[in-house]
Amino acid sequence: MKAAVLTGIRQIEVIDVPEPILSSNTDVLLKVDMVGVCGSDVHYYAEGRIGTQNVTYPFRIGHEFSGTILETGPGVSNLKPGDRVAVDPAVSCGKCDQCLAGRENTCRNILFLGCPEELTGCLCERIVMPASCCVPISPGMSLAEGALVEPLSVGMYATEHLSGIRPGQTAGILGCGPIGLSVLLPLVNKLGIEKVYASDRINSRHLLARKHGACWSGNPDKTNIVEVILDQQPAGLDMVFECCGKQEALDQAVEMLKPGGKLLMIGIPEVPRISFPMDKIRKKELCLQNVRRQNKFVKPAVEFITAGNDVRFMITHTFSLEEAGKAFDLVDGYRDGVVKAMIRID
């Protein structure tokens, strides 16, 4: 079968690779239909690494995808050939202390699609996954929406499980790419948060956030967003979701949070270390919460879309597998108003 693989920094080639085979009674063979290009994929594409995870070439990335069941192992009873599914890219062991504590996202033995030394990614025609990672999607949901389930599940995990936000509270979102928008949608459409302030250095992105529920949005390169937001919320914000991985955004978050506020860090920095003004964090008694992927929120994300919440506006570009390099180059350069680029596997 064909697969798109990294062969060097900013180099992708489409090559022939061996067909996957079912090796477990509880696995399924999937036809890969749609693959989303994630910011973490772009780190591997542009830098060859995230933190201590270094790519060894050639390597296949990709973890946001929807697919169609082709074959099931004899131990699978809840899925059948022809079922269309959204896929949780994290394969946890179910036995370690983290899994037993309900923290499969920090499983000691986790295997994640498209991560070096873990699992090869989904930028290919067919793939084998555990049936437990597959969530059926309704007939009315498109396969492109199915691929958006993964980033949406990250946003829903952050907002619904980790934040503790309540109606009447206020929030900021710094970075309005797919993850920032995936934070915004459940905040306004499910949790009833009316005062959500958003920022992005790309005008089209922060305006998209305003169109879909943010009460205010701005470009931090053109507007002092801390000053503007605090003018509207003099006491400060209850929480800020940092979704771009930039030091300056973290600094802005500390300034705009009220005492006792919470900073949720979802963005992946390009640098190995970040810093905080400890005097301000200490005096405000701020809570710093890292967000690790999407523990148990793939099915709720499917249900959120099935309920009629629009996520399709995030999809701005679609490419073929042969054009994977163009897709990654577009996202890496933030060109042509890109929000989410999808790769269609025919």
Side-chain angles (χ1 to χ4, degrees), residues 215-335:
C215 67
W216 180 89
S217 68
N219 184 333
D221 289 339
K222 300 179 180 179
T223 302
N224 186 328
I225 64 168
V226 173
E227 185 177 280
V228 172
I229 291 172
L230 290 181
D231 183 60
Q232 299 184 51
Q233 296 291 329
L237 300 178
D238 292 290
M239 23 205 100
V240 173
F241 298 84
E242 194 285 317
C243 301
C244 59
K246 300 297 184 182
Q247 178 67 59
E248 53 266 44
L250 294 167
D251 294 338
Q252 291 159 358
V254 170
E255 294 294 332
M256 64 180 67
L257 279 165
K258 65 171 57 172
K262 191 171 189 177
L263 168 59
L264 293 99
M265 298 173 285
I266 311 176
I268 300 176
E270 296 176 356
V271 296
R273 289 181 179 270
I274 55 174
S275 64
F276 290 101
M278 290 307 301
D279 186 54
K280 291 181 180 180
I281 289 177
R282 181 178 58 82
K283 287 181 178 179
K284 287 188 175 184
E285 197 181 44
L286 298 182
C287 175
L288 307 183
Q289 173 72 62
N290 187 53
V291 179
R292 180 63 168 168
R293 297 171 178 160
Q294 66 274 83
N295 194 24
K296 297 184 177 72
F297 270 83
V298 171
K299 185 176 179 181
V302 169
E303 294 170 346
F304 183 80
I305 298 174
T306 303
N309 292 288
D310 179 25
V311 296
R312 291 170 295 179
F313 70 90
M314 286 192 265
I315 303 171
T316 54
H317 297 75
T318 303
F319 297 84
S320 67
L321 182 63
E322 287 72 21
E323 297 172 317
K326 293 181 180 179
F328 275 78
D329 188 55
L330 177 76
V331 177
D332 181 36
Y334 298 96
R335 297 199 312 274

Side-chain angles (χ1 to χ4, degrees), residues 90-235:
V91 181
S92 54
C93 73
K95 300 176 181 179
C96 70
D97 63 319
Q98 295 297 292
C99 288
L100 295 176
R103 295 182 53 88
E104 287 93 339
N105 59 322
T106 53
C107 168
R108 303 283 186 177
N109 308 299
I110 199 164
L111 299 173
F112 197 83
L113 282 182
C115 279
E117 300 181 8
E118 295 185 23
L119 297 174
T120 54
C122 59
L123 269 174
C124 57
E125 294 179 311
R126 288 168 290 281
I127 196 169
V128 168
M129 291 293 296
S132 58
C133 290
C134 300
V135 178
I137 62 176
S138 66
M141 187 186 300
S142 70
L143 289 162
E145 289 173 305
L148 280 174
V149 164
E150 198 277 338
L152 178 62
S153 66
V154 175
M156 293 183 70
Y157 173 58
T159 55
E160 294 188 37
H161 183 73
L162 293 178
S163 76
I165 197 167
R166 304 183 304 276
Q169 291 189 313
T170 56
I173 298 173
L174 307 184
C176 299
I179 292 296
L181 293 170
S182 292
V183 166
L184 173 68
L185 292 177
L187 280 178
V188 299
N189 293 341
K190 188 174 182 181
L191 301 178
I193 308 303
E194 297 181 358
K195 298 293 184 180
V196 180
Y197 299 82
S199 71
D200 199 286
R201 301 171 89 172
I202 300 174
N203 287 334
S204 60
R205 289 189 173 190
H206 81 74
L207 292 173
L208 199 58
R210 190 182 304 186
K211 180 178 179 180
H212 289 274
C215 67
W216 180 89
S217 68
N219 184 333
D221 289 339
K222 300 179 180 179
T223 302
N224 186 328
I225 64 168
V226 173
E227 185 177 280
V228 172
I229 291 172
L230 290 181
D231 183 60
Q232 299 184 51
Q233 296 291 329

Side-chain angles (χ1 to χ4, degrees), residues 10-144:
R10 293 191 171 88
Q11 296 178 14
I12 294 181
E13 296 181 22
V14 177
I15 63 173
D16 289 322
V17 299
E19 287 276 356
I21 58 173
L22 291 176
S23 58
S24 168
N25 289 342
T26 55
D27 282 350
V28 297
L29 175 65
L30 290 160
K31 175 190 177 297
V32 179
D33 290 304
M34 298 290 289
V35 179
V37 178
C38 176
S40 60
D41 297 330
V42 174
H43 279 289
Y44 290 128
Y45 170 73
E47 302 157 34
R49 60 187 290 274
I50 294 179
T52 58
Q53 292 182 298
N54 295 285
V55 172
T56 299
Y57 303 107
F59 184 70
R60 191 167 80 219
I61 54 175
H63 61 272
E64 301 178 1
F65 83 102
S66 62
T68 304
I69 304 290
L70 297 176
E71 184 181 352
T72 64
V76 177
S77 59
N78 62 322
L79 296 168
K80 63 183 184 304
D83 285 350
R84 303 178 317 141
V85 297
V87 180
D88 186 337
V91 181
S92 54
C93 73
K95 300 176 181 179
C96 70
D97 63 319
Q98 295 297 292
C99 288
L100 295 176
R103 295 182 53 88
E104 287 93 339
N105 59 322
T106 53
C107 168
R108 303 283 186 177
N109 308 299
I110 199 164
L111 299 173
F112 197 83
L113 282 182
C115 279
E117 300 181 8
E118 295 185 23
L119 297 174
T120 54
C122 59
L123 269 174
C124 57
E125 294 179 311
R126 288 168 290 281
I127 196 169
V128 168
M129 291 293 296
S132 58
C133 290
C134 300
V135 178
I137 62 176
S138 66
M141 187 186 300
S142 70
L143 289 162

